[in-house]
């Protein structure tokens, strides 16, 4: 845990320093006179304040912890140990708040699928992973649907967070060694049933065949093209240009959704095939009641949420600390 906190502090330091500089700039007369820029800096400082507050408080508590270590003398051991426990609890709580403040910046609302793959010999680990993902969703306020070992999860930063769970998990328990794989893949807006009209190009042309003077004089036929995929639909069923356009767009959206669903199935199969070759990422020790992330070389109690690992991995990657 100490190593994790030092990583968090290293990530937070530049933000805290920027907050200090921004606060100093706000007092300059030339900044005060420029109302728009002053408002911009105030907004920037507001976004950095929580990070700076947690950063400074953790440093202060660590200094108190160091001072306690210098106390020696008869009868002080119990007092020092008790005070250190209180300080560690405060530091841990602040670390969680700091991780959330660092992690939450500029994350989009996303939809993601997480599939847990395990066999009958790894039932304990499989159930633990299901409970863990449900716990993460509850703590991070992500909505989820669970069906046949597949989570469909939506919310702010869902994929950025949950991709830290992707990989091979293994465990040692009373029943021996177990292993399971979590596959994580994002769903685009298309698979959520949303296709923007901006993605569709409409061309008008004269309808062929019978239909009277209207179809010959007016461009009632419609060609709708989805520019991202190149899928084209032509409609000239009606004498009305508007009705043809509505039908063409409706049919085009159905075709595009079918295309993306098929692509999603291909990606899922690919993820399943690659799952067997993924590196081990977590060790679950049911006897020692701990979870260890092998990428971070950090350990937390079994009762804790592994979202802290995921946030740390995200922050570490963002800060180029790999």
């Amino acid at each position: 845990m100490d190593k994790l906190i030092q990583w968090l502090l290293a990530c937070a330091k530049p933000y805290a320093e920027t907050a200090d500089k921004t606060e100093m700039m706000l007092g300059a007369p030339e900044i005060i006179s420029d109302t728009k820029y002053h408002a911009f800096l105030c907004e920037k400082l507001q976004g950095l304040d929580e990070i700076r507050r947690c950063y400074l408080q953790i440093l202060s508590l660590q200094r108190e912890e160091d001072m306690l270590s210098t106390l020696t003398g008869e009868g002080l051991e119990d007092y020092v140990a008790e005070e250190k426990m209180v300080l560690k609890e405060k530091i841990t709580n602040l670390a969680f708040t700091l991780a959330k403040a660092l992690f939450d910046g500029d994350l989009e609302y996303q939809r993601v699928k997480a599939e847990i793959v395990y066999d009958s010999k790894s039932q304990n680990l499989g159930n633990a992973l299901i409970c863990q993902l449900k716990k993460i969703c509850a703590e991070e306020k992500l909505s989820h649907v669970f069906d046949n070992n597949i989570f469909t999860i939506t919310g702010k930063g869902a994929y950025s967070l949950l991709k830290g769970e992707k990989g091979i998990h293994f465990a040692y328990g009373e029943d021996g060694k177990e292993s399971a794989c979590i596959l994580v893949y994002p769903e685009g807006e298309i698979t959520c049933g949303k296709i923007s009209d901006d993605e569709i190009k409409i061309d008008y042309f004269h309808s062929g065949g019978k239909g009277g003077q209207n179809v010959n004089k007016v461009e009632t036929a419609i060609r709708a093209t989805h520019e991202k995929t190149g899928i084209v639909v032509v409609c000239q069923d009606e004498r009305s240009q508007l009705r043809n356009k509505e039908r063409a767009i409706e049919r085009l959206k159905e075709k595009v959704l079918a295309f993306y669903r098929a692509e999603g199935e291909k990606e899922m199969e690919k993820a399943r095939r690659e799952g067997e070759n993924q590196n081990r990422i977590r060790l679950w020790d049911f006897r020692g009641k701990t979870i260890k992330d092998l990428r971070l070389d950090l350990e937390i109690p079994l009762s804790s949420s592994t979202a802290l690992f995921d946030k740390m991995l995200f922050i570490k990657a963002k800060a180029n600390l790999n």
Side-chain angles (χ1 to χ4, degrees), residues 4-228:
L4 172 60
I5 290 168
Q6 292 309 119
W7 257 332
L8 285 170
L9 291 174
C11 294
K13 186 178 179 181
Y15 293 99
E17 290 174 346
T18 301
D20 289 339
K21 290 175 185 175
T22 305
E23 199 166 50
M24 289 178 65
M25 289 172 67
L26 284 170
E30 62 272 21
I31 300 295
I32 294 171
S33 61
D34 187 340
T35 54
K36 283 188 177 179
Y37 190 53
H38 189 271
F40 165 75
L41 289 179
C42 285
E43 188 177 347
K44 182 180 179 182
L45 182 61
Q46 188 176 2
L48 296 170
D49 251 354
E50 181 74 350
I51 295 173
R52 180 175 62 170
R53 180 187 69 81
C54 294
Y55 172 77
L56 293 175
Q57 285 188 15
I58 290 173
L59 288 179
S60 176
L61 291 170
Q62 285 181 334
R63 285 193 292 270
E64 285 186 45
E65 199 174 16
D66 291 339
M67 286 177 63
L68 280 171
S69 299
T70 63
L71 294 178
T72 57
E74 190 177 345
L76 287 176
E77 293 88 351
D78 291 342
Y79 167 77
V80 169
E82 189 176 330
E83 288 297 305
K84 279 190 173 183
M85 281 183 63
V86 172
L87 288 174
K88 277 195 178 295
E89 186 177 352
K90 288 181 179 179
I91 290 171
T92 301
N93 290 336
L94 281 167
F96 272 91
T97 306
L98 179 56
K100 188 170 179 60
L102 285 165
F103 176 78
D104 274 350
D106 301 324
L107 290 178
E108 295 179 356
Y109 188 85
Q110 294 170 315
R111 180 166 171 162
V112 64
K113 283 192 179 291
E115 182 176 359
I116 303 171
V117 182
Y118 61 95
D119 59 25
S120 58
K121 296 178 182 178
S122 302
Q123 194 73 40
N124 290 334
L125 179 57
N127 290 338
L129 292 174
I130 291 168
C131 291
Q132 187 60 238
L133 286 181
K134 287 181 178 179
K135 185 185 293 185
I136 291 172
C137 289
E139 289 187 359
E140 302 303 318
K141 295 180 173 61
L142 300 171
S143 62
H144 75 278
V145 176
F146 180 66
D147 181 44
N148 197 26
N149 282 357
I150 297 177
F151 284 84
T152 302
I153 301 165
T154 54
K156 186 179 179 183
Y159 180 65
S160 299
L161 175 67
L162 290 166
K163 65 183 179 183
E165 298 290 322
K166 180 180 178 180
I168 299 292
H169 298 243
F170 65 107
Y172 294 110
E174 300 297 333
D175 300 327
K177 186 178 176 181
E178 300 181 23
S179 64
C181 177
I182 296 185
L183 309 172
V184 179
Y185 36 93
E187 280 194 337
E189 283 191 345
I190 295 291
T191 56
C192 299
K194 299 176 184 176
I195 300 173
S196 170
D197 289 340
D198 295 337
E199 300 173 28
I200 300 173
K201 180 185 176 185
I202 301 294
D203 294 309
Y204 304 91
F205 61 97
H206 291 287
S207 179
K210 298 179 181 181
Q213 289 185 345
N214 184 61
V215 297
N216 293 322
K217 292 181 180 179
V218 181
E219 294 178 325
T220 56
I222 300 295
R223 182 187 299 108
T225 306
H226 186 250
E227 295 186 311
K228 287 186 178 180

